[in-house]
Amino acid sequence: MTDDYVWLMGREDYTTITGTLAITLRGSTLQKQDLAGNILFNWRSQDYIGTDEAMQPLTPGGSYPHSNSFYEDADRNLIISFRATNSVVKICVTGDGCQPGEIIWQLGGLKSDFVFANDRGIAKQHSAMITDICHGGTSRCLLLFDNGNDFEPQYSRAVE
């Protein structure tokens, strides 16, 4: 919440066809509202993230893609962690050089815009955010907690 607006994160049921079956999933929604409750921005995961990006079997009523954290970056666009796709995405909110709602970049998952050099990637991560205090004196880096569930050996870690 700021002096001008509030962000709300929630879930919304929707039906999708998987193979020959129609199943109901719980999608992620994000809304930006002014303090009077007027909707300034509305984003639905099912409009941008396909079920073919799932890193686990889809189950009826399951939370997909399972947003578990979001962070408003300095440019006022959003960075969101999606647990079920093993990805963190940056979503356009402002329309400055991008279309509102579109994914600006994706880290991890099946459609990653980045390559993890000498690393295993991320799995079931959360708490993704940009920080100005970075290892090695670098400024503006992404920091997140990687649960590491999908790897052998399984271990959790902070990743910058």
Side-chain angles (χ1 to χ4, degrees), residues 6-78:
V6 62
W7 278 105
L8 303 170
M9 182 166 69
R11 293 206 166 85
E12 175 182 41
D13 288 348
Y14 70 100
T15 301
T16 188
I17 304 296
T18 302
T20 59
L21 300 175
I23 63 172
T24 299
L25 297 173
R26 291 183 348 196
S28 298
T29 62
L30 286 158
Q31 263 189 10
K32 182 179 182 178
Q33 295 182 1
D34 64 20
L35 299 183
N38 299 306
I39 297 172
L40 305 173
F41 178 81
N42 189 58
W43 190 87
R44 300 170 52 216
S45 62
Q46 57 266 39
D47 296 334
Y48 296 93
I49 300 175
T51 56
D52 60 339
E53 296 180 59
M55 300 300 282
Q56 59 197 32
L58 298 173
T59 57
S63 179
Y64 175 80
H66 192 101
S67 56
N68 59 15
S69 73
F70 71 95
Y71 174 83
E72 187 179 64
D73 199 2
D75 63 6
R76 301 185 98 174
N77 293 308
L78 289 184

Side-chain angles (χ1 to χ4, degrees), residues 103-124:
I103 295 175
I104 298 170
W105 54 253
Q106 178 173 325
L107 173 70
L110 297 175
K111 296 183 178 178
S112 183
D113 295 308
F114 302 92
V115 175
F116 292 92
N118 302 316
D119 196 18
R120 66 185 190 165
I122 54 176
K124 310 302 184 265

